[in-house]
Amino acid sequence: MGRWKHECDVALGAVREAAVLARTLRQQIGASAIRKADQSPVTVADFAVQALVAHRLARAFPDDPLVAEEDAAWLRSPEARPTFQSVVEALHRVEPDLSPDRVFEAIDRGSGAPGERFWTLDPVDGTKGFVRGDHYVVALALVVRGRVELGLMGCPQLSLMERRPGIVGSIVYAVRGQGAFCASMVEGKITRLAVSHVRAPRRARVLRSFEAEHIDQTTFDHVLRTLRVEGAPTLMDSQAKHAMVAAGRADLLIRLPAAEAYCEKIWDQAAGALVIEEAGGRVTDRHGKPLDFACGRTLARNVGIIASNGRLHEAVIDALRTRGVVSDPDPDASSGR
Ligand code: AMP
Ligand code: MG
């Protein structure tokens, strides 16, 4: 039996159910979103998915902390009553016995401290995509001693392996040392994922965030010009981009922050990074340094994300160097993988 077998089985069940719940809610509630204090959107689906996954993990691994994007502070306020009601109703379809108090409790489990072993969850990664009707992902990862051991993404808008028409959705996951895999959201067949073989930078199929304010467009354009990339980049929300690179459907993902001070949240990167690495690709920051998941809720020691099929990686870091974004050959850079 492989390492993390039980963890993987529980997490796969939770992510699959959560992805179905998110998709059902998207169909029902449409584009209605609430603004958080930082003006980012949150929906009934963000809270319902966090409650469901937190509840499932708590039942199987009661001692494991959960580090997740949402908390229930606002949901407890009188103005949030209708939203909370919708969250409870949505959950009752899959967990009929969950009382309102236990729903609050489950959501607040996401405020756990990142310790030696913990789970990290973005219930709806790419909420802006969810609201727009584009890509979003339920992203869950297990981090042990600062290393991602297990990464899972429920991708309702992404059909990676389907030959049939229409969007079926995919479950993409990886176990460290064991590979990256994909199953459709409706069928059980599991396929191993592998990155592409594209070596020529001009042929690179490049992905970036849909949201322009999430990226440094000038430096992004500089990299594409330097590499003489011929095709236009594809704009996608969420870690669905990582799934595309892992499946060999894209070759390169460039994420350079618009604001120098922006720190990536671990739940925005952990699952996607492991899936790409286990599919044979490489993920570093813009200096070529490995991502450091041992700094708490953010990747405080990394700036930007470069994820690739491996073959194109150094060309991107070199292009950033010519722009002065990478100050000099970094002593840690060669340990990127
Ligand atoms: P993406 O769809 O790839 O742009 O990634 C979505 C994630 O970007 C969200 O889950 C947010 O946590 C994160 N995000 C929010 N604001 C910013 C920002 N200003 N710069 C970079 N990422 C952000
Ligand atoms: Mg997110």
Side-chain angles (χ1 to χ4, degrees):
M1 190 190 289
R3 198 157 189 234
W4 310 122
K5 170 88 174 70
H6 181 44
E7 283 82 353
C8 190
D9 287 347
V10 171
L12 266 175
V15 166
R16 186 183 288 272
E17 264 194 279
V20 171
L21 177 63
R23 180 162 64 189
T24 308
L25 282 170
R26 180 64 183 78
Q27 283 156 0
Q28 283 173 358
I29 63 173
S32 48
I34 309 118
R35 295 259 151 212
K36 288 197 271 193
D38 66 359
Q39 291 307 306
S40 61
V42 68
T43 70
V44 169
D46 294 73
F47 293 120
V49 166
Q50 181 155 324
L52 176 61
V53 176
H55 179 66
R56 291 276 193 277
L57 291 177
R59 213 164 52 187
F61 309 108
D63 298 331
D64 286 353
L66 175 64
V67 179
E69 179 161 20
E70 310 302 338
D71 64 59
W74 175 79
L75 265 192
R76 292 176 197 272
S77 69
E79 60 160 325
R81 222 163 230 290
T83 305
F84 183 62
Q85 198 55 41
S86 303
V87 171
V88 173
E89 277 167 23
L91 279 165
H92 275 181
R93 280 184 231 135
V94 273
E95 280 289 339
D97 298 331
L98 218 51
S99 68
D101 275 349
R102 293 194 55 212
V103 173
F104 281 134
E105 209 179 285
I107 295 170
D108 274 337
R109 272 189 65 84
S111 306
E116 168 144 322
R117 166 179 157 137
F118 66 93
W119 296 85
T120 186
L121 169 73
D122 194 341
V124 178
D125 179 28
T127 304
K128 290 174 185 168
F130 177 88
V131 171
R132 224 189 293 110
D134 289 336
H135 286 282
Y136 64 93
V137 156
V138 176
L140 178 65
L142 174 67
V143 182
V144 182
R145 283 180 221 102
R147 275 201 339 176
V148 185
E149 294 290 335
L150 190 58
L152 309 98
M153 297 187 276
C155 316
Q157 296 284 83
L158 193 63
S159 291
L160 280 176
M161 299 295 151
E162 301 294 331
R163 304 221 186 279
R164 67 169 87 178
I167 299 165
V168 176
S170 308
I171 307 291
V172 174
Y173 65 100
V175 187
R176 182 171 289 281
Q178 295 174 37
F181 307 91
C182 177
S184 111
M185 263 173 74
V186 292
E187 285 163 16
K189 185 168 172 279
I190 293 168
T191 309
R192 190 177 271 271
L193 296 179
V195 294
S196 73
H197 294 281
V198 174
R199 278 183 188 282
R202 71 194 161 82
R203 293 248 182 264
R205 294 162 296 171
V206 183
L207 302 176
R208 54 149 266 212
S209 292
F210 185 96
E211 296 291 332
E213 69 264 32
H214 290 187
I215 67 151
D216 168 0
Q217 181 77 52
T218 310
T219 309
F220 178 85
D221 289 344
H222 165 84
V223 173
L224 266 53
R225 252 194 332 268
T226 308
L227 301 184
R228 299 186 203 288
V229 174
E230 287 168 0
T234 300
L235 278 47
M236 268 178 100
D237 305 277
S238 81
Q239 288 164 81
K241 294 189 281 299
H242 297 68
M244 290 283 285
V245 173
R249 297 261 300 260
D251 314 305
L252 192 55
L253 184 178
I254 301 174
R255 181 181 175 86
L256 302 162
E260 196 61 18
Y262 184 80
C263 271
E264 296 289 347
K265 312 291 187 295
I266 55 171
W267 51 80
D268 282 335
Q269 303 300 330
L274 186 66
V275 164
I276 290 181
E277 288 181 352
E278 286 296 324
R282 187 171 162 198
V283 184
T284 69
D285 71 4
R286 71 180 182 193
H287 299 277
K289 284 197 330 201
L291 305 186
D292 185 349
F293 288 94
C295 313
R297 292 171 72 86
T298 65
L299 295 174
R301 295 199 191 103
N302 298 108
V303 183
I305 305 289
I306 308 297
S308 75
N309 64 359
R311 295 156 180 98
L312 295 164
H313 212 90
E314 283 308 322
V316 179
I317 305 292
D318 284 348
L320 287 167
R321 199 168 281 133
T322 62
R323 187 161 172 86
V325 169
V326 177
S327 38
D328 55 68
D330 190 294
D332 296 339
S334 57
S335 58
R337 171 154 175 123

